[in-house]
Structures are given as C-alpha cells and as structure tokens.
Amino acid sequence: QVQLVESGGGLVQTGGSLRLSCVASGRTFSTFAMGWFRQAAGKEREFVASISRSGGTLYGDSVKGRFTISADNTKTTVYLQMNSLKPEDTAVYYCAIGRLKVPIADLYDYWGRGTQVTVSS
C-alpha cells in the first residue's frame, strides 16, 4: 500500500548539481522518517541522509557539506539536493521510509525503485 517514487537522476559532470525527489503515499507514512541510500556497482548500500517528521536531519560522512535533505510542508515529498558532485557519488539512489532516521538500511521498511546518478570527470 505504501509507495515511493524517485525522480531526478541523470548524468552530470564533476562539480555539477542534481536534485532528487521522492514522493511517498500510503497510510500513516507521515509518521515515519524518510531517508536516502545509495548503492554503487559492486558495493554495499550506503546511508546518505535522512529526515524525521519533526525536521531533524542526519548525513553520511561522505556527503556532509555537499548534500542537503529536505521535505515539503506536508511531508509527502523528500528532496536530496546534491552539489559539488564527484565521480565517487555515482550510484543508484534509493529513498526509503523507516520509523526513525537511523543510518541503517535494514531498519527502513519501504523502498523506492531507485534512480541512477552518474558523475563523469
């Protein structure tokens, strides 16, 4: 019943910017935290950022100072603004819903299908 739909991925050069969006729908989804994870080819899924219903945020060490997570006023859409992109940011980016904004993928209950971000040098 709960669905997440990501958009905004694409190809960008080193130093460029992208903004990802994720629209959530379903019963009681507004009581959950929303987060972004990414998975590069051949690597495990990595925590990127998360935001709680009250607006508190967490960031992975590799993206602090470059990425910003935010949500709209109704908390139905979450965004990931990505600046100063590097080739190592290349990955499939997934949005997810969990009870808490923890940086552990196994503790998130619902996942989108992902959107590809590719950063070229």
Side-chain angles (χ1 to χ4, degrees), residues 35-51:
W36 289 95
F37 291 77
R38 66 187 184 186
Q39 188 165 24
K43 297 185 180 297
E44 294 185 347
R45 192 162 296 186
E46 176 189 19
F47 172 75
V48 176
S50 61
I51 185 167

Side-chain angles (χ1 to χ4, degrees), residues 6-114:
E6 303 104 330
S7 63
L11 175 64
V12 65
Q13 292 183 311
T14 297
S17 298
L18 284 174
R19 189 180 74 161
L20 306 183
S21 300
C22 178
V23 178
S25 61
R27 296 180 62 183
T28 69
F29 71 87
S30 63
T31 67
F32 288 70
M34 299 184 70
W36 289 95
F37 291 77
R38 66 187 184 186
Q39 188 165 24
K43 297 185 180 297
E44 294 185 347
R45 192 162 296 186
E46 176 189 19
F47 172 75
V48 176
S50 61
I51 185 167
S52 69
R53 191 171 187 268
S54 63
T57 58
L58 290 174
Y59 293 94
D61 289 340
S62 64
V63 306
K64 287 180 180 178
R66 299 189 297 120
F67 292 9
T68 303
I69 189 170
S70 61
D72 68 2
N73 292 334
T74 62
K75 305 298 193 299
T76 58
T77 305
V78 65
Y79 304 95
L80 185 68
Q81 178 66 46
M82 304 184 294
N83 299 324
S84 302
L85 284 163
K86 306 173 181 179
E88 49 263 50
D89 295 317
T90 296
V92 177
Y93 284 70
Y94 300 89
C95 65
I97 293 177
R99 183 64 183 88
L100 301 172
K101 54 179 177 63
V102 294
I104 303 173
D106 286 349
L107 299 182
Y108 286 74
D109 301 309
Y110 302 99
W111 294 82
R113 296 184 183 276

